[in-house]
Amino acid sequence: EEPECGEYSQSLDDASAENMVPINVDRTVPHSIRQWTDSAAMWFNTYTNDPDAVYIDLALNPEANTGYVGDGARRVWGAIYSENCFQGPLEKLCTAERSFFRLLSGLHVSISAQISANFYPRPMPPDSPPDAFAWDPNLEMFMRTVGNWPDRVDNLYFLYMFVLRALSKAKPTLQLLDYSTGDVSEDALTKAEVDRLLDARLVCTETFNETLMFQGSSNKAEILSQMRSKFFNISLLMDCLSCEKCRLWGKVETHGLATALKIVVEDVPMTGMQRSEIVALVQLLRQL
């Protein structure tokens, strides 16, 4: 069952689906994926074992321009910044509160950059496979939303370093995980690719010092609780997007950031990481 959008369901998203790019789905969920189990997460609104679930190949559904523009899209980000960030001038917020804002801003910048890079559908040759696609960039949009804003670019790199740190901290757990799905060749390839990723130089370098986030703070537990609550609300916002592909990538990337936050700022064992968390974390890093 789809979770309720709650207070956000009213007048948040009135975008028309008429001109939106449809999503490419497979109504048959592979049996091996149906066997995966996830537990509830305080950082993220997740739901599993839905009989109406669909299998979506992210390779066939790249993050790109969908035609989802206008007041609806602006209200979503407006609700994120005005209702789910710590309020007040940045210079008066504590380090953890500023970091939370910078992570969300970095995610916003990453999404804008991806859409700018994959904006104009390129006509494919007549003999191309049915699922073949290519995109051309929109440089004007990139400069208007990303390139002309040094602070936004800084926040993008801040997010990148943060996610790399999460992967680095999770490395011992990820190296020991069983990635079996029932397809022997795919499982071997997945394990080899995971090992190659975890051995990358950036993953083996300390890119982010999370001890500075709460240094000198006497209310770490309270700030963490607020972070969880705010991010959970953001995950609800993603559920309310009328654009299917926007909702797909919004859920994947916010789930990836929720996973990174849980790994980096919470002192909890990582042995209980769920498959959906691992997929979302790696996909977020790939987009960055």
Side-chain angles (χ1 to χ4, degrees), residues 29-259:
V29 181
H31 177 69
S32 56
I33 292 180
R34 286 193 179 278
Q35 294 177 320
W36 296 358
T37 57
D38 282 342
S39 62
M42 291 185 294
W43 285 92
F44 193 78
N45 180 49
T46 181
Y47 46 96
T48 55
N49 300 321
D50 186 342
D52 297 322
V54 295
Y55 175 69
I56 300 175
D57 188 339
L58 294 179
L60 298 179
N61 294 276
E63 188 173 21
N65 176 33
T66 63
Y68 182 69
V69 294
D71 291 340
R74 281 190 290 269
R75 276 199 292 270
V76 170
W77 284 109
I80 289 175
Y81 287 125
S82 65
E83 301 174 25
N84 295 289
C85 278
F86 294 92
Q87 299 304 305
L90 283 179
E91 62 273 13
K92 293 187 177 181
L93 298 178
C94 71
T95 303
E97 293 168 341
R98 286 198 305 272
S99 298
F100 190 77
F101 167 81
R102 295 191 67 188
L103 291 172
L104 292 175
S105 172
L107 182 61
H108 191 178
V109 175
S110 172
I111 292 171
S112 297
Q114 290 288 337
I115 294 172
S116 299
N118 303 302
F119 194 85
Y120 298 110
R122 186 186 307 166
M124 300 302 293
D127 57 347
S128 300
D131 57 358
F133 56 83
W135 299 84
D136 288 321
N138 183 334
L139 181 59
E140 184 278 329
M141 177 183 178
F142 175 80
M143 295 305 297
R144 174 167 47 84
T145 60
V146 180
N148 289 330
W149 302 85
D151 57 327
R152 296 180 184 180
V153 176
D154 286 345
N155 290 342
L156 175 61
Y157 279 104
F158 185 83
L159 172 63
Y160 182 43
M161 295 296 101
F162 188 86
V163 176
L164 282 171
R165 178 58 177 155
L167 199 65
S168 176
K169 290 190 72 172
K171 180 177 178 178
T173 299
L174 296 178
Q175 287 176 319
L176 298 176
L177 280 181
D178 179 11
Y179 294 94
S180 299
T181 64
D183 186 319
V184 177
S185 59
E186 284 291 331
D187 293 344
L189 178 61
T190 299
K191 184 64 169 68
E193 289 295 317
V194 169
D195 289 341
R196 188 163 71 93
L197 172 63
L198 296 176
D199 288 337
R201 182 179 299 178
L202 280 174
V203 176
C204 299
T205 304
E206 187 170 322
T207 58
F208 188 93
N209 186 356
E210 62 274 13
T211 61
L212 299 178
M213 287 184 65
F214 298 95
Q215 195 172 59
S217 175
S218 59
N219 58 344
K220 176 181 177 179
E222 180 183 344
I223 294 174
L224 271 177
S225 177
Q226 292 182 49
M227 283 184 171
R228 293 189 202 100
S229 176
K230 290 175 182 297
F231 212 90
F232 190 89
N233 287 341
I234 291 170
S235 74
L236 288 176
L237 279 171
M238 297 300 108
D239 290 324
C240 299
L241 294 173
S242 60
C243 167
E244 242 187 339
K245 189 172 286 189
C246 305
R247 186 164 64 249
L248 164 67
W249 279 104
K251 293 287 284 188
V252 169
E253 292 175 319
T254 51
H255 198 173
L257 180 51
T259 303

